[in-house]
Amino acid sequence: MREVGEQSYHYGVIGRAIELIDAGGEDLGLTELAAHMNMSPAHFQRVFSAWVGVSPKRYQQYLRLGHAKSLLQERFSTLETAHAVGLSGSGRLHDLFLRWEAMSPGEYARKGAGLTIRWGWFDSPFGLALVMGTEKGICGLAFAAETGAEPTLADMRARWPNADYVEDPMMLRPLAEAIFAQKGEAALHMMGAPLQIKVWEALLRIPSGHVTTYSELARAIDNPRAVRAVGTAVGKNPMSWLIPCHRVLRKGGDIGGYHWGVPVKRAMLAFEAARDDRASEKEADFPAVTGEAEETGRQTA
């Protein structure tokens, strides 16, 4: 039986905040925002701090509609460069290590025949999440906050219609906990057409807190004219959040669509941007090592 946990509750507050800010509440102060949420200022502040670790006022900056354009200007990721310097989809903000295996084209053509896919519902920072997995690893991750639980499950099952489905949250729980705590290791079983898998692999090279465009993705897979096909592959990504399709924006800076609801995409981008800024601030707090101490460090490394 599904339960709404603390993280889903926090996402519910974030979703309401998005609606309020879009309706013209960009400049509301803490007390006014809390009143609109029917919460005390202290409780409202605690929810935001627990969810992302920044103040509501600062978080408003990440939720504004113009934030996507600023991300594109300031945190655009050239995927060839990201790959060259060893960046990966796990990013520098957490310790979740991803490894993946892709099914063969023949296996993909069988639409899941012979596969047992286990599934379960879990609490997540972005509302109720559906996690699916095979014996090789996670094959599906979807979010139901905007689309509803039953349509989300039906959508995912339709991707591999010939598979056998077994509800088994106990088997998937350790993987789900690693994903949402962003610690440990998660194996991914990519089940898609060859072009889709190439696009999803490129998505894994976008660092956390950064964004790219559909045309950049097309260039990254050596097919610069395939922008429309790349967009379709992004939309069919079966492992949202893990394979970060939410980090892809339109060329002009518009946030674009998102299969599980644009508010979820905006919350993910805001969540990562805030975490990235917090990490940068923490790194800046450490004193620089210079002079004799620096030389000593090199000698003992």
Side-chain angles (χ1 to χ4, degrees), residues 4 12 16 28 35 42 57-58 79-80 143 147 150 153 166 189 191 206 209-210 213 221 246 256:
V4 177
R16 289 159 58 198
L28 292 176
K57 188 65 177 177
R58 186 170 176 183
L79 299 182
E80 289 85 352
F143 297 92
T147 56
E150 297 309 319
L153 179 58
V166 178
H189 188 189
M191 304 200 301
I206 307 172
H210 290 66
T213 63
I221 65 168
H246 61 278

Side-chain angles (χ1 to χ4, degrees), residues 66-300:
H67 179 55
K69 291 184 178 180
S70 65
L71 275 176
L72 200 58
Q73 293 170 354
E74 300 168 9
R75 297 183 181 181
F76 174 73
S77 179
T78 302
L79 299 182
E80 289 85 352
T81 302
H83 181 64
V85 299
L87 295 171
S88 70
S90 60
R92 67 184 180 91
L93 303 182
H94 57 73
D95 301 318
L96 180 65
F97 176 74
L98 299 179
R99 55 185 175 85
W100 60 271
E101 178 180 344
M103 63 164 34
S104 70
E107 290 173 321
Y108 173 69
R110 292 194 290 272
K111 299 181 179 180
L115 278 177
T116 296
I117 297 179
R118 302 183 184 277
W119 61 274
W121 292 101
F122 298 91
D123 190 32
S124 88
F126 310 105
L128 193 64
L130 174 65
V131 179
M132 290 180 157
T134 70
E135 61 180 9
K136 294 182 179 180
I138 295 169
C139 65
L141 177 58
F143 297 92
E146 303 296 325
T147 56
E150 297 309 319
T152 297
L153 179 58
D155 182 314
M156 294 298 288
R157 290 183 61 144
R159 297 172 189 235
W160 312 290
N162 296 333
D164 293 322
Y165 289 89
V166 178
E167 185 174 10
D168 191 356
M170 293 302 293
M171 189 278 279
L172 294 166
R173 187 170 299 281
L175 289 172
E177 289 176 350
I179 292 168
F180 298 125
Q182 297 183 312
K183 292 181 180 178
E185 180 175 324
L188 309 185
H189 188 189
M190 291 190 185
M191 304 200 301
L195 175 65
Q196 292 173 336
I197 289 172
K198 287 182 70 174
V199 171
W200 300 341
E201 182 184 6
L203 286 171
L204 286 170
R205 296 203 298 268
I206 307 172
S208 179
H210 290 66
V211 295
T212 195
T213 63
Y214 295 98
S215 57
E216 173 68 19
L217 274 178
R219 284 193 293 271
I221 65 168
D222 298 320
N223 200 342
R225 295 184 178 180
V227 176
R228 181 171 295 181
V230 164
T232 300
V234 170
K236 291 184 178 296
N237 169 27
M239 286 179 273
S240 298
W241 180 241
L242 280 177
I243 298 177
C245 55
H246 61 278
R247 297 175 190 161
V248 184
L249 306 178
R250 291 175 179 163
K251 192 173 182 179
D254 294 333
I255 198 166
Y258 190 63
H259 195 80
W260 307 115
V262 171
V264 175
K265 179 175 183 175
R266 290 176 60 193
M268 287 178 173
L269 289 170
F271 184 93
E272 290 184 333
R275 289 286 175 96
D276 188 69
D277 283 354
R278 284 189 66 212
S280 298
E281 289 173 357
K282 287 182 178 179
E283 289 173 2
D285 287 339
F286 286 99
V289 180
T290 58
E292 184 177 358
E294 182 180 1
E295 183 66 31
T296 301
R298 283 200 296 267
Q299 290 172 352
T300 58

